[in-house]
Amino acid sequence: MESIYDILIKEHNMVSDLFQQVLRDNSRETLLKIKAALDPHMAGEEKLFYSELEKKEELSELVSHAVEEHDEARSIMSELESMKEGDKNWTSKIKELKESIDHHVEEEEGEVFEKAQKVISQKKAEEIAQQYLEFKKSFKQETPASMH
Ligand SMILES: [Fe+2]
Ligand SMILES: [Fe+2]
């Protein structure tokens, strides 16, 4: 059965493909696809995965660092949402977001998943995977992009 790590890695790869695409087409449409992938991913990680890790005192710093990186990505994304695709800082902002996400994913797949596998059983990792998929089904964007 799929574990939470399998699913998260698959989504990281999908987002990485979308970044390749947005660097080619520079379009707001592709950027919004990235947002639509990232929002439920980060929210689901925080609610179902990080929350489990936080139960271990020794992982609390690692988790709060990861959440800070999510917040940084959200903040760059909201700057981008307030821009038009032709704006002079558009491309550099997209690169900034990509770098921020690349860095976070590297830490997550390296350090976070490795430490998580030591404290979460395989069975639990499969349960979290199921909860995560359910969560994503019910996830609603808090603020529609059109309201920005
Ligand atoms: Fe992730
Ligand atoms: Fe994350």
Side-chain angles (χ1 to χ4, degrees):
M1 224 163 90
E2 259 187 337
S3 72
I4 185 64
Y5 315 109
D6 300 324
I7 295 172
L8 296 177
I9 289 170
K10 245 191 271 175
E11 293 185 357
H12 292 163
N13 293 341
M14 186 188 92
V15 166
S16 163
D17 289 348
L18 284 170
F19 269 112
Q20 293 308 318
Q21 192 184 330
V22 78
L23 288 176
R24 282 195 306 269
D25 70 18
N26 265 306
S27 78
R28 191 177 165 84
E29 193 190 333
T30 309
L31 179 79
L32 292 177
K33 280 188 197 164
I34 294 176
K35 180 176 164 58
L38 284 182
D39 282 349
H41 179 95
M42 296 193 293
E45 280 181 343
E46 289 169 12
K47 190 176 160 63
L48 299 161
F49 178 48
Y50 292 177
S51 60
E52 204 57 48
L53 299 180
E54 252 170 353
K55 291 179 185 168
K56 303 280 169 190
E57 173 80 52
E58 69 269 26
L59 296 185
S60 69
E61 231 171 89
L62 190 68
V63 169
S64 54
H65 178 71
V67 173
E68 274 170 28
E69 291 181 347
H70 281 187
D71 287 343
E72 179 182 284
R74 288 185 181 108
S75 136
I76 303 170
M77 179 59 88
S78 81
E79 284 182 69
L80 273 160
E81 278 189 281
S82 69
M83 292 166 78
K84 295 197 194 76
E85 53 184 41
D87 283 4
K88 80 174 181 346
N89 295 326
W90 175 258
T91 310
S92 59
K93 236 348 133 184
I94 285 178
K95 286 185 180 151
E96 189 185 329
L97 179 63
K98 180 181 183 295
E99 272 162 32
S100 163
I101 298 285
D102 283 350
H103 166 82
H104 174 67
V105 166
E106 222 172 90
E107 284 189 354
E108 203 157 61
E109 291 188 6
E111 207 179 354
V112 178
F113 288 5
E114 193 198 310
K115 289 190 171 149
Q117 276 161 331
K118 289 183 184 143
V119 299
I120 296 175
S121 68
Q122 175 65 18
K123 184 170 173 286
K124 183 74 187 168
E126 289 169 5
E127 276 169 27
I128 298 173
Q130 291 313 304
Q131 290 164 358
Y132 179 84
L133 294 175
E134 284 303 312
F135 171 79
K136 281 191 64 183
K137 268 189 229 162
S138 64
F139 184 85
K140 300 264 185 301
Q141 307 260 349
E142 281 168 28
T143 318
S146 60
M147 285 176 66
H148 285 271

